[in-house]
């Protein structure tokens, strides 16, 4: 049985539990239980603090872990990245008081920077030949300049609203981060087989994201033009109708280009366009 370590709270916890649910892996998200076994898949979930996950996987306490790339890089543990999961995206950035004039990274020379990610920050500063004092802090890093604890901060940024509310501005993006699936390097063959099944399910869930299944009736006289408009997975399915001059077309569309394509289809005579969400998609 695979043991997978996940964050016990926060946005990454919510996104992870949603992924497991969509992959039909049933586990309890009770905050009172540290270790929970799935009722329908050979996996058990170990709830941990995010900064403990890389070490737990590297040491073999857990076989797998879902952790932010920022924490994985900061902890620098000997575990292997299996997959990038595409959610919980953010960035690690340097920020300074809004009123400060900023002309480049050399602004930080001689300054004090508050952060929870000293290793990543030190590598960045050394790479740019910047000599700054790193002040390690946990909790609300963004308040540090306002109370005189630091001149700037290095912290996670998602929407940027927290920076704005603390009168700060983002000046340097040091790295981008997303949720990673990591594994212990010593997993045995049976566990690797279970991991492949887990990855198969995750891929099916992600393939369906932002996709719509579209069905429509269309005149055969415009069939070639309609097919050229449709960017299907391979090619659309075309089904004859009782009316010899019409056919039914089924395809999959990406939501990002959905409305633009629907407009073109209507211009080419498509009617009765039916759109449904896709839960899973096996490629």
């Amino acid at each position: 049985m695979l043991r997978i370590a996940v964050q016990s709270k926060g946005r990454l916890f919510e996104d992870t539990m949603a992924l497991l649910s969509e992959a039909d892996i049933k586990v309890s998200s009770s905050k009172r239980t540290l270790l929970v076994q799935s009722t329908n898949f050979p996996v058990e979930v170990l709830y941990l603090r995010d900064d403990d996950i890389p070490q737990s996987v590297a040491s073999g306490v857990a076989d797998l872990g879902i952790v932010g790339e920022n924490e994985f890089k900061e902890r620098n543990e000997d575990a292997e990245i299996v997959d990038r999961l595409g959610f919980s995206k953010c960035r690690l950035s340097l920020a300074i008081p809004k009123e400060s004039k900023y002309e480049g990274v050399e602004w930080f020379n001689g300054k004090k920077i508050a952060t929870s990610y000293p290793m990543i920050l030190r590598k960045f500063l050394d790479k740019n030949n910047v000599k700054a004092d790193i002040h390690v802090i946990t909790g609300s890093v963004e308040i540090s300049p306002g109370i005189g604890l630091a001149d700037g901060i290095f912290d996670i940024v998602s929407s940027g609203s927290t920076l704005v509310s603390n009168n700060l501005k983002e000046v340097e993006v040091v790295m981008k981060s997303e949720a990673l699936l990591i594994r212990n390097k010593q997993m045995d063959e049976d566990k690797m087989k279970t991991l492949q099944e887990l990855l198969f399910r995750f891929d099916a869930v992600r393939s369906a994201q932002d996709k719509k299944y579209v069905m429509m009736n269309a005149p055969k006289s415009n069939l070639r033009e309609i097919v050229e408009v449709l960017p299907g997975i391979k090619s659309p399915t075309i089904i004859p109708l009782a009316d010899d001059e019409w056919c039914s077309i089924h395809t999959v569309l990406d939501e990002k280009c959905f409305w633009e394509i629907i407009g073109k289809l209507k211009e080419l005579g498509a009617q009765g366009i039916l759109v449904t969400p896709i839960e899973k998609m096996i490629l």
Side-chain angles (χ1 to χ4, degrees):
M1 177 175 292
L2 279 179
R3 178 178 293 176
I4 179 169
V6 306
Q7 187 171 318
S8 59
K9 61 181 179 179
R11 185 165 66 101
L12 183 55
F13 163 79
E14 294 170 358
D15 290 343
T16 298
M17 299 312 293
L19 175 62
L20 292 175
S21 176
E22 289 168 2
D24 195 31
I25 298 172
K26 296 180 171 62
V27 292
S28 169
S29 58
S30 172
K31 302 296 179 62
R32 298 180 181 179
T33 308
L34 181 65
L35 186 65
V36 179
Q37 185 173 327
S38 170
T39 58
N40 67 339
F41 192 80
V43 68
E44 56 184 5
V45 175
L46 177 64
Y47 296 111
L48 296 175
R49 285 167 47 98
D50 56 348
D51 51 359
D52 289 334
I53 293 175
Q55 184 181 32
S56 73
V57 174
S59 65
V61 172
D63 302 302
L64 303 173
I66 295 179
V67 65
E69 187 172 4
N70 53 305
E71 288 293 345
F72 182 67
K73 294 292 186 183
E74 177 65 25
R75 304 301 159 186
N76 196 32
E77 295 285 352
D78 188 25
E80 180 180 319
I81 298 175
V82 178
D83 200 6
R84 293 180 172 273
L85 300 176
F87 57 76
S88 296
K89 291 186 177 181
C90 62
R91 55 194 182 275
L92 278 175
S93 296
L94 284 159
I96 64 175
K98 202 171 185 178
E99 65 277 5
S100 298
K101 185 179 180 181
Y102 186 80
E103 295 180 347
V105 70
E106 61 274 4
W107 183 92
F108 290 97
N109 270 310
K111 300 292 198 305
K112 182 181 287 187
I113 307 170
T115 186
S116 300
Y117 301 94
M119 285 187 61
I120 297 173
L121 177 57
R122 175 55 64 197
K123 288 180 181 179
F124 175 79
L125 295 177
D126 289 347
K127 181 180 177 181
N128 288 276
N129 298 313
V130 172
K131 304 298 182 183
D133 181 18
I134 297 176
H135 183 75
V136 180
I137 187 173
T138 57
S140 302
V141 175
E142 64 276 357
I143 68 171
S144 300
I147 62 176
L149 189 62
D151 302 294
I153 69 167
F154 177 62
D155 202 16
I156 291 174
V157 179
S158 295
S159 65
S161 59
T162 302
L163 295 181
V164 172
S165 63
N166 285 276
N167 200 34
L168 299 172
K169 62 182 178 181
E170 186 178 9
V171 293
E172 296 283 345
V173 177
V174 174
M175 69 168 282
K176 293 184 178 180
S177 175
E178 64 180 297
L180 301 177
L181 179 66
I182 61 174
R183 77 169 181 92
N184 178 272
K185 291 183 176 180
Q186 307 302 319
M187 282 174 54
D188 61 34
E189 186 175 344
D190 288 341
K191 289 182 177 181
M192 287 298 293
K193 288 180 180 178
T194 306
L195 171 58
Q196 292 307 312
E197 173 62 25
L198 186 68
L199 290 172
F200 173 76
R201 294 193 183 196
F202 285 177
D203 285 342
V205 171
R206 283 181 299 182
S207 295
Q209 289 174 349
D210 300 321
K211 299 290 194 302
K212 302 293 183 183
Y213 190 74
V214 182
M215 297 169 278
M216 72 200 81
N217 293 334
K220 287 184 178 179
S221 58
N222 291 339
L223 183 58
R224 178 174 294 179
E225 291 88 342
I226 289 173
V227 170
E228 289 176 354
V229 167
L230 296 173
I233 299 301
K234 287 187 176 178
S235 63
T237 300
I238 300 172
I239 303 171
L241 297 177
D243 187 334
D244 289 338
E245 295 183 357
W246 286 76
C247 61
S248 177
I249 301 176
H250 296 203
T251 192
V252 174
L253 295 181
D254 194 306
E255 198 164 25
K256 289 180 289 188
C257 59
F258 174 79
W259 288 109
E260 177 186 353
I261 291 174
I262 291 297
K264 293 178 180 178
L265 293 173
K266 290 187 68 176
E267 290 176 3
L268 290 168
Q271 297 179 5
I273 302 173
L274 179 63
V275 183
T276 59
I278 299 174
E279 183 177 325
K280 311 283 189 303
M281 188 163 66
I282 313 300
L283 298 177

